[in-house]
Amino acid sequence: MLQERTMPKCRDCNQEWTFTVLEQALFAERSHQNDPSRCPKCRANRQAKRERGETRGHNAREERIVHKATCSQCGGEARLPFKPREDRAVLCSDCHRKARLAG
Ligand SMILES: [Zn+2]
Ligand SMILES: [Zn+2]
């Protein structure tokens, strides 16, 4: 028979917390062998942080998309951090440097 239990200090917030009957049942259902070392709030926080972290990583990858265009000088591949405009000549990094050096 499950009973509500007062658990020792949570690893994250250092507070005693109540392991409710419902929670114990859920925990057993997920076949966790050991008692949780964090209160439900801190466990939820950790879960949320993990999910946010994954989302952020995904977005960061998308922001780094490099637009490919054909260099108008050498015909090589130019990689741009922005979408090239139709009305502007595109230079690859090599030609861009040469153009700058030439003034
Ligand atoms: Zn806690
Ligand atoms: Zn070029």
Side-chain angles (χ1 to χ4, degrees):
M1 186 66 187
L2 291 173
Q3 263 188 319
E4 195 169 282
R5 288 155 63 197
T6 301
M7 300 299 285
K9 286 175 181 174
C10 160
R11 205 185 276 184
D12 280 5
C13 65
N14 250 358
Q15 304 279 320
E16 285 185 357
W17 57 279
T18 306
F19 200 9
T20 63
V21 172
L22 179 68
E23 267 230 303
Q24 289 178 51
L26 283 173
F27 224 70
E29 209 169 86
R30 293 182 209 144
S31 56
H32 289 295
Q33 301 292 322
N34 304 315
D35 285 342
S37 51
R38 289 180 181 84
C39 68
K41 220 165 65 183
C42 289
R43 260 180 281 137
N45 276 348
R46 282 173 66 84
Q47 178 74 27
K49 257 185 216 161
R50 240 196 326 266
E51 278 166 15
R52 272 205 302 275
E54 277 171 19
T55 312
R56 194 164 54 231
H58 184 68
N59 284 347
R61 267 201 303 279
E62 281 194 342
E63 277 164 22
R64 264 184 272 129
I65 281 177
V66 172
H67 294 273
K68 291 180 186 177
T70 305
C71 172
S72 59
Q73 288 285 313
C74 69
E77 188 182 81
R79 287 160 182 268
L80 307 166
F82 53 88
K83 203 175 189 322
R85 282 174 52 174
E86 301 270 332
D87 59 341
R88 292 196 60 169
V90 171
L91 296 179
C92 69
S93 52
D94 270 1
C95 293
H96 190 74
R97 198 166 52 233
K98 280 177 205 158
R100 278 172 65 111
L101 285 174

